[in-house]
Amino acid sequence: MDRKDFLKKGLLGTGMFVASAALANTMKNEIDEIEPLEPIGYNHLPNTDSKIKDNSVFHKADSRGKADHGWLVSNHTFSFANYHNPERMHFGVLRVLNDDKVEAGRGFGTHPHDNMEIISIPLEGDLEHKDSMGNSAIIKSGDIQVMSAGTGIMHSEFNKNNDSLVKFLQIWIYPNKRNVTPRYDQITLDKTKGNNQFQQILSPNADDEGVWIHQDAWFHLGNFENTLEINYKIKKKGNGVYVFIVKGSAEIEGQKLEKRDGFGVWDISDLDIKSTSENTEILLMEVPMMM
């Protein structure tokens, strides 16, 4: 399959759409979805540029793919839509990590997904969600949203505000079960639990803290006011951890990271983390390295 065909083949054979809430109008927008890959480890091909050790990768913020559609500015840590980098396909089952900004009154019109666990983490502003299961909700900073697309789901996302941006992280995880019944959930975090420590926000267990997905993955979010050292223990043997610096700076296993940098490491039992500036926010994503 050549690159053009790769970009045009979506998860359900269709693209994504954009609409103006003010005009109640939709139109196709050139943002195509992605073809599923066969994860064989931390990446699809040897990562010669960003592999800094035998068991880690480092992705600078300015090395990410960028799409500027006017109404949407999106930075892609991994290949997505028109950004195709064969050395940046995924980290284990972590397939998409998009850092999105959506203009006031704009958003993604109704579009499909299937067999993917989709997590949205709002950073700023209000994002309206509607889907084919009848869910209608607003998510904002402090909320976590999850969808198990399973056998197929249609949904839309809009910036409800008329005068401010929406900023959010869009994360896709390959599930460990295919063709499950689609589901939707969202929670509001108690942010005090993430002050100067890591707060669990996602796990495989519906009875555990945070939202849950069909995968042996654990996400943690922490806000650190000052320099602080933390040790994170791997939950499941064989998993790796991808660290994303939402703001501030940190040092992970000796690697210095700044705002929006990413660092992935595998073949470990624990991880040494040090926040190195005031008001540092860190997202830890522990994920299986193999399907």
Side-chain angles (χ1 to χ4, degrees):
M1 180 181 295
D2 64 25
R3 182 172 181 272
K4 182 178 179 181
D5 289 337
F6 175 88
L7 293 172
K8 289 297 180 184
K9 184 176 180 183
L11 290 171
L12 291 178
T14 58
M16 296 173 68
F17 291 76
V18 56
S20 165
L23 298 176
N25 186 27
T26 62
M27 65 179 189
K28 193 167 182 184
N29 74 6
E30 305 278 327
I31 304 176
D32 293 300
E33 294 195 15
I34 57 175
E35 181 188 14
L37 302 172
E38 291 293 333
I40 56 174
Y42 74 92
N43 211 349
H44 192 60
L45 294 173
N47 194 321
T48 54
D49 290 335
S50 62
K51 191 172 181 182
I52 60 173
K53 297 179 181 177
D54 287 341
N55 68 328
S56 61
V57 289
F58 175 46
H59 299 141
K60 287 288 292 179
D62 61 7
S63 74
R64 297 177 296 173
K66 184 175 181 179
D68 188 343
H69 300 276
W71 66 275
L72 167 70
V73 176
S74 183
N75 286 280
H76 312 312
T77 294
F78 304 106
S79 292
F80 187 87
N82 290 329
Y83 170 60
H84 176 62
N85 181 344
E87 294 187 347
R88 296 274 285 269
M89 301 308 292
H90 57 89
F91 179 84
V93 301
L94 173 58
R95 179 59 188 88
V96 169
L97 174 53
N98 287 351
D99 183 2
D100 292 344
K101 297 179 183 178
V102 180
E103 288 290 337
R106 304 298 295 272
F108 303 91
T110 303
H111 59 278
H113 296 284
D114 77 340
N115 287 311
M116 194 70 74
E117 302 293 302
I118 300 172
I119 301 102
S120 295
I121 303 178
L123 303 176
E124 184 179 310
D126 301 324
L127 189 67
E128 181 184 41
H129 165 94
K130 292 183 179 180
D131 63 45
S132 53
M133 295 181 289
N135 296 300
S136 180
I138 304 294
I139 57 172
K140 53 191 174 183
S141 178
D143 294 342
I144 304 294
Q145 179 199 76
V146 65
M147 288 193 303
S148 297
T151 53
I153 188 173
M154 304 285 289
H155 82 131
S156 64
E157 296 164 299
F158 288 95
N159 181 349
K160 284 288 290 182
N161 300 314
N162 294 320
D163 57 358
S164 59
L165 287 170
V166 159
K167 299 178 183 180
F168 73 106
L169 301 179
Q170 180 184 172
I171 301 165
W172 295 9
I173 301 285
Y174 285 111
N176 57 18
K177 296 179 181 178
R178 290 181 58 83
N179 298 320
V180 299
T181 300
R183 55 176 285 271
Y184 173 88
D185 193 16
Q186 74 176 71
I187 62 170
T188 298
L189 299 173
D190 179 354
K191 288 189 173 184
T192 62
K193 293 184 177 181
N195 288 341
N196 294 316
Q197 61 184 339
F198 282 111
Q199 174 184 11
Q200 182 174 291
I201 63 172
L202 176 147
S203 79
N205 187 348
D207 297 323
D208 209 348
E209 187 174 4
V211 295
W212 67 275
I213 62 171
H214 295 284
Q215 188 52 271
D216 292 326
W218 287 262
F219 285 15
H220 289 76
L221 194 61
N223 287 276
F224 304 95
E225 296 175 359
N226 301 297
T227 300
L228 188 67
E229 296 186 21
I230 314 102
N231 181 266
Y232 176 80
K233 305 290 186 184
I234 298 297
K235 303 289 186 182
K236 184 176 180 180
K237 185 177 180 180
N239 279 3
V241 177
Y242 195 88
V243 182
F244 185 73
I245 307 301
V246 179
K247 61 183 179 181
S249 62
E251 188 174 301
I252 314 292
E253 293 291 307
Q255 176 64 50
K256 295 181 179 179
L257 289 88
E258 303 294 335
K259 180 180 178 180
R260 294 323 204 246
D261 288 349
F263 179 79
V265 61
W266 59 98
D267 291 340
I268 56 170
S269 59
D270 62 348
L271 192 65
D272 289 326
I273 302 159
K274 181 180 179 182
S275 61
T276 56
S277 66
E278 293 183 357
N279 299 318
T280 293
E281 186 172 10
I282 304 173
L283 174 63
L284 296 185
M285 294 170 278
E286 178 183 333
V287 296
M289 299 309 293
M290 303 288 286
M291 290 286 275

